[in-house]
Amino acid sequence: MHKEKKQPSIQKMFGQLFIAPWNEEEAKGEAITLITQHHIGGFLLHQEAIKKEKKIKKLTQRLQAYALQEAPLLIAIDASQDERIPVLPSLPSIQTFQAMTNRLYAEQFTEAIGDKLRELGINTIFYPSLEEEEKLDRTTLETTASYGSNLVKGFHKSELATCLTDYPRKDAIDLHTRSDRKSSNLYPFYKILTEQGSLLLLKDYAAETIDHYVRQHLNFNGIIIYDLRGEGNSLKSERILDLLDAGVDCFILPEDFEYQTAILTELFDHLEKTEKKGIVQSFHKLNQLKKTFNFDKLEREKPLTPYQRKRLIERITTS
């Protein structure tokens, strides 16, 4: 008789909704504590953690070794800003790819980069940035959406999950223009999220505005990750619970370890009085993401050969 898998406890489900920034080359005691005692679901690796390939691979393997077998860690890097990632060639902006006028190149390039990252044990990338420095016309918005979709498609081919960044602030969104209209500044987000199923990063939003300005206006039911790093030491557990009730699925914790553990302990203490439905739904969404992109495997099933990867990356970097 087939034995049914045991459902994780609500404490473990809740812990899985948190991602901790990590800026060390090794999996030190703080990381192990976050995984084993607080059951967190992932890490966002910063500059100090991603300097050397061999050390990255060792770090990601060790982190995953401590994780729940049925819930591998989301291990991410942020390539959405201009910050250089030591082990990768520079990831061009969407505008740079547009100047090359070849969407297939864009897709092949990100597939090769994604293949490399999966080999290192990284399974998620915060990229691309869809930030507008100035108001864009309809044609530019449509082109940005098309190239962005190809960039994300390439990453997904290599089984690397993607998270779109720089969603506009509330006051920059025109609720009278539908997001599926090519004249809307949200059209690139709408097209990529609809076609490719990316995650979406949010920050600087009040809980009560998320459903209206994000969920409903984008018609988006996918995973929302909320970045708490900019909220400072004034962050309270009530703020996180309000965001969870508002439809946020996952949270990037503040940088400081002591503050991380204090917030998580406080949240767990309030768990008995917390609505469980949102926690369970978000846990299952994240778990499905991990299955879809095979987070339990260090590398993709059929990777590019080293020669194919090198040629694809060179084609863009020398263009």
Side-chain angles (χ1 to χ4, degrees), residues 114-179:
D115 202 58
K116 176 74 174 173
L117 290 171
R118 283 308 308 254
E119 187 180 88
L120 297 174
I122 293 163
N123 51 40
T124 305
I125 189 167
F126 287 75
Y127 181 88
S129 165
L130 296 177
E131 185 176 19
E132 293 178 23
E133 292 181 4
E134 55 188 39
K135 189 172 172 60
L136 302 179
D137 59 40
R138 180 190 173 106
T139 303
T140 307
L141 285 166
E142 189 174 358
T143 307
T144 298
S146 297
Y147 272 85
S149 188
N150 279 93
L151 288 170
V152 168
K153 186 177 180 182
F155 280 129
H156 288 185
K157 276 185 177 179
S158 66
E159 296 187 336
L160 192 83
T162 56
C163 184
L164 305 186
T165 70
D166 296 302
Y167 190 74
R169 295 169 73 101
K170 182 170 75 79
D171 55 10
I173 294 174
D174 179 6
L175 291 176
H176 299 293
T177 305
R178 282 173 24 190
S179 60

Side-chain angles (χ1 to χ4, degrees), residues 104-105 107-116 119 300-317:
L104 181 60
Y105 277 8
E107 188 177 314
Q108 290 175 334
F109 177 74
T110 51
E111 182 182 0
I113 294 292
D115 202 58
K116 176 74 174 173
E119 187 180 88
R300 65 189 284 207
E301 290 282 323
K302 296 180 181 175
L304 300 168
T305 66
Y307 176 75
Q308 287 174 319
R309 187 193 300 155
K310 185 182 177 193
R311 291 290 296 145
L312 289 171
I313 292 171
E314 281 178 351
R315 186 182 294 170
I316 293 296
T317 53

Side-chain angles (χ1 to χ4, degrees), residues 43-59:
F43 289 90
L44 175 59
L45 306 184
H46 288 333
Q47 287 284 310
E48 290 299 317
I50 50 175
K51 283 183 173 178
K52 296 175 183 174
E53 291 185 14
K54 283 185 180 177
K55 290 197 172 182
I56 297 170
K57 199 163 185 175
K58 188 177 178 182
L59 168 65

Side-chain angles (χ1 to χ4, degrees), residues 24-138:
E24 302 277 353
E25 286 185 330
E26 297 177 5
K28 294 185 176 177
E30 291 92 336
I32 296 163
T33 298
L34 288 168
I35 297 168
T36 58
Q37 294 185 27
H38 298 284
H39 317 296
I40 69 162
F43 289 90
L44 175 59
L45 306 184
H46 288 333
Q47 287 284 310
E48 290 299 317
I50 50 175
K51 283 183 173 178
K52 296 175 183 174
E53 291 185 14
K54 283 185 180 177
K55 290 197 172 182
I56 297 170
K57 199 163 185 175
K58 188 177 178 182
L59 168 65
T60 57
Q61 286 175 334
R62 185 137 192 257
L63 291 173
Q64 292 289 15
Y66 283 98
L68 294 169
Q69 192 176 2
E70 68 274 16
L73 295 168
L74 181 156
I75 299 181
I77 59 168
D78 185 356
S80 64
Q81 308 306 318
D82 294 331
E83 199 173 350
R84 180 85 172 84
I85 296 171
V87 294
L88 294 180
S90 291
L91 280 170
S93 65
I94 289 181
Q95 291 74 19
T96 304
F97 281 111
Q98 288 170 350
M100 295 174 189
T101 65
N102 193 321
R103 284 163 49 193
L104 181 60
Y105 277 8
E107 188 177 314
Q108 290 175 334
F109 177 74
T110 51
E111 182 182 0
I113 294 292
D115 202 58
K116 176 74 174 173
L117 290 171
R118 283 308 308 254
E119 187 180 88
L120 297 174
I122 293 163
N123 51 40
T124 305
I125 189 167
F126 287 75
Y127 181 88
S129 165
L130 296 177
E131 185 176 19
E132 293 178 23
E133 292 181 4
E134 55 188 39
K135 189 172 172 60
L136 302 179
D137 59 40
R138 180 190 173 106

